[in-house]
Amino acid sequence: MFRLEEFNFHNKTVFLRVDLNSPMKDGKIISDARFRAVLPTIEFLVENGAKVVIGTHQGKPYSDDYSTTEEHARILSGLLNQHVEYVEDIFGKYARDKIRSMKPGEVIILENLRFSAEEVKNKPIEECEKTFFVRKLSEVIDYVVNDAFAAAHRSQPSLVGFARIKPMIMGFLMEKEIEALMKAYYSKEEPKVYVLGGAKVDDSLKVAENVLKKGRADIILTGGLVANVFTLAKGFDLGKKNIEFMKKKGLLEHVKHAEKILDEFYPYIRTPADFAVDYEGERVEVDLLSERRELLNNYQIMDIGSRTVEKYREIIMKAKVVVANGPMGVFEREEFAFGTVEVFKAIAESNAFSVLGGGHSIASIQKYGIEGISHVSTGGGAMLTFFAGEELPVIKALQISYEKFKEVVR
């Protein structure tokens, strides 16, 4: 795959695809973490005299965080200490004329790419490169730099459509992400521990199955809704209230898959011995083998219990590699952040090479000031897809572009 240092960008127009999709409240972005993650790539391009055309998406149609990129331009301007112009167009005549008139070192940001209907669907490269988006923009750009690791599991025009039309190059963030994930996945050091929590049950089951089958994991520790599904699959009763909640969320359909994984790898998948419930506004811990488990009929599981935290900590402290995705419970409420905070603290304090990903995971380590994790990934879905052993369309596109243009650009 192409790297940034291999190219001369002076006076060249670069379409830089990043993922600045960020949490918003009352129309304002509340975290600039993804902006800071791509700053080194933008600064490198500016310093090397490129005309930088930034493309990102924000939210999904009809969602609360679906907005223009005007706010993104403001934040980038502050971080870069130079004006980043917001262009209220994507590939129309106004956008193309604006791009043609740019000078070396200037930066603009196009409108939210998902305002274009073509950008919302996943399609193969062959279809993506025929879109108006790609055909129109390719007229006015020289190179594509892809630094949108968080969207690497999607196959959409802005992400893969230029691969066979223009040289497509990894940004610094993309390069760093791929290196860290590959290091964790292919490491020969043992034990390798995967901590799977949060609500992405289907993806987490695929990860568990893949890493255990391929010998990439020695132990899986579970939390959040992932733990609830595996606990049910082990034959424990989680009580009427929790089963109703899981049914409503469509999670019971994953229990069969979890049972199948347990049939083959039972001893290597650890589930909580105790849980914390919201008992009339307070944290109360319930041991699965105690009479207190009756509380699970009427009160919802909100976190793993302290006995589980202790067991998980012991395992993590002996690990050589730790991969973690998703919180252990409802960390947004302080009394139920205990499991997530303590498990993530253990990962940070261990001597293991550690990779942590997922929006909620990142939010929790930022909120509680947890430092010491080797690599914090910007992409939860992309990271899970990678560890599930599935192809990431953007990585594939970068490889295709390298093969197509390697003789031309050297």
Side-chain angles (χ1 to χ4, degrees), residues 197-218:
K200 289 185 175 172
V201 174
D202 189 27
D203 291 338
S204 296
L205 291 178
K206 287 176 189 169
V207 170
E209 191 167 32
N210 179 60
V211 295
L212 288 167
K213 269 187 179 164
K214 300 270 175 69
R216 304 287 177 202
D218 297 292

Side-chain angles (χ1 to χ4, degrees), residues 69-118:
T69 53
E70 196 167 2
E71 174 83 350
H72 301 68
R74 187 186 63 76
I75 292 170
L76 275 175
S77 297
L79 291 171
L80 282 170
N81 282 323
Q82 78 172 70
H83 179 60
V84 174
E85 187 177 348
Y86 159 63
V87 176
E88 204 174 342
D89 189 14
I90 298 170
F91 57 78
K93 188 174 183 304
Y94 176 68
R96 298 198 311 277
D97 286 349
K98 179 61 71 178
I99 292 167
R100 284 191 185 100
S101 70
M102 289 176 75
K103 293 180 177 63
E106 287 186 343
V107 184
I108 66 170
I109 186 165
L110 301 175
E111 185 53 279
N112 183 347
L113 301 184
R114 286 189 179 164
F115 283 11
S116 164
E118 293 174 321

Side-chain angles (χ1 to χ4, degrees), residues 198-378:
K200 289 185 175 172
V201 174
D202 189 27
D203 291 338
S204 296
L205 291 178
K206 287 176 189 169
V207 170
E209 191 167 32
N210 179 60
V211 295
L212 288 167
K213 269 187 179 164
K214 300 270 175 69
R216 304 287 177 202
D218 297 292
I219 293 179
I220 309 267
L221 306 178
T222 62
L225 294 174
V226 179
N228 294 8
V229 168
F230 270 118
T231 303
L232 269 187
K234 281 185 173 182
F236 290 98
D237 182 7
L238 290 180
K240 192 180 164 194
K241 174 92 173 174
N242 291 289
I243 289 168
E244 275 174 8
F245 174 79
M246 290 169 75
K247 187 179 180 182
K248 191 175 157 192
K249 291 278 181 187
L251 298 175
L252 295 182
E253 65 198 50
H254 297 304
V255 173
K256 280 241 180 306
H257 188 189
E259 283 172 357
K260 181 176 165 280
I261 298 167
L262 287 167
D263 282 346
E264 203 173 339
F265 303 106
Y266 190 91
Y268 310 113
I269 298 166
R270 306 296 165 87
T271 51
D274 57 347
F275 292 98
V277 299
D278 182 354
Y279 180 76
E280 295 171 6
E282 287 191 21
R283 178 189 176 96
V284 170
E285 297 198 351
V286 178
D287 195 299
L288 266 186
L289 299 176
S290 73
E291 287 177 14
R292 233 182 179 184
R293 70 179 180 275
E294 295 298 319
L295 286 173
L296 299 177
N297 283 318
N298 301 308
Y299 300 95
Q300 200 164 323
I301 291 168
M302 303 291 274
D303 193 13
I304 58 174
S306 44
R307 201 156 72 83
T308 302
V309 168
E310 218 171 283
K311 286 173 182 291
Y312 283 8
R313 185 181 173 83
E314 273 176 43
I315 292 165
I316 289 164
M317 294 312 282
K318 291 174 190 163
K320 289 286 189 286
V321 176
V322 179
V323 174
N325 189 290
M328 299 291 101
V330 186
F331 77 94
E332 294 90 344
R333 283 182 58 184
E334 211 158 313
E335 62 272 39
F336 299 112
F338 177 77
T340 302
V341 171
E342 291 305 311
V343 166
F344 288 177
K345 265 190 194 169
I347 297 170
E349 288 165 20
S350 74
N351 292 320
F353 174 72
S354 51
V355 173
L356 178 140
H360 287 100
S361 303
I362 294 166
S364 61
I365 64 167
Q366 285 176 339
K367 184 176 177 181
Y368 292 96
I370 299 166
E371 291 179 357
I373 287 159
S374 313
H375 178 75
V376 178
S377 178
T378 54

Side-chain angles (χ1 to χ4, degrees), residues 82-189:
Q82 78 172 70
H83 179 60
V84 174
E85 187 177 348
Y86 159 63
V87 176
E88 204 174 342
D89 189 14
I90 298 170
F91 57 78
K93 188 174 183 304
Y94 176 68
R96 298 198 311 277
D97 286 349
K98 179 61 71 178
I99 292 167
R100 284 191 185 100
S101 70
M102 289 176 75
K103 293 180 177 63
E106 287 186 343
V107 184
I108 66 170
I109 186 165
L110 301 175
E111 185 53 279
N112 183 347
L113 301 184
R114 286 189 179 164
F115 283 11
S116 164
E118 293 174 321
E119 184 65 15
V120 182
K121 293 259 173 110
N122 282 291
K123 295 285 180 184
I125 282 187
E126 295 74 20
E127 289 188 50
C128 286
E129 65 189 12
K130 290 176 191 165
T131 57
F132 287 101
F133 182 103
V134 171
R135 279 156 50 200
K136 294 284 187 182
L137 269 190
S138 59
E139 293 171 13
V140 290
I141 62 171
D142 299 298
Y143 297 125
V144 174
V145 173
N146 198 316
D147 222 12
F149 176 77
H153 56 312
R154 305 192 190 282
S155 185
Q156 292 165 340
S158 70
L159 293 160
V160 304
F162 296 99
R164 300 192 296 189
I165 296 166
K166 301 285 177 180
M168 188 162 136
I169 306 150
M170 285 188 293
F172 289 133
L173 175 65
M174 181 71 74
E175 194 176 337
K176 188 175 152 194
E177 291 274 16
I178 294 167
E179 278 177 9
L181 269 54
M182 288 185 82
K183 183 178 174 181
Y185 188 71
Y186 291 105
S187 174
K188 299 260 190 290
E189 292 198 85

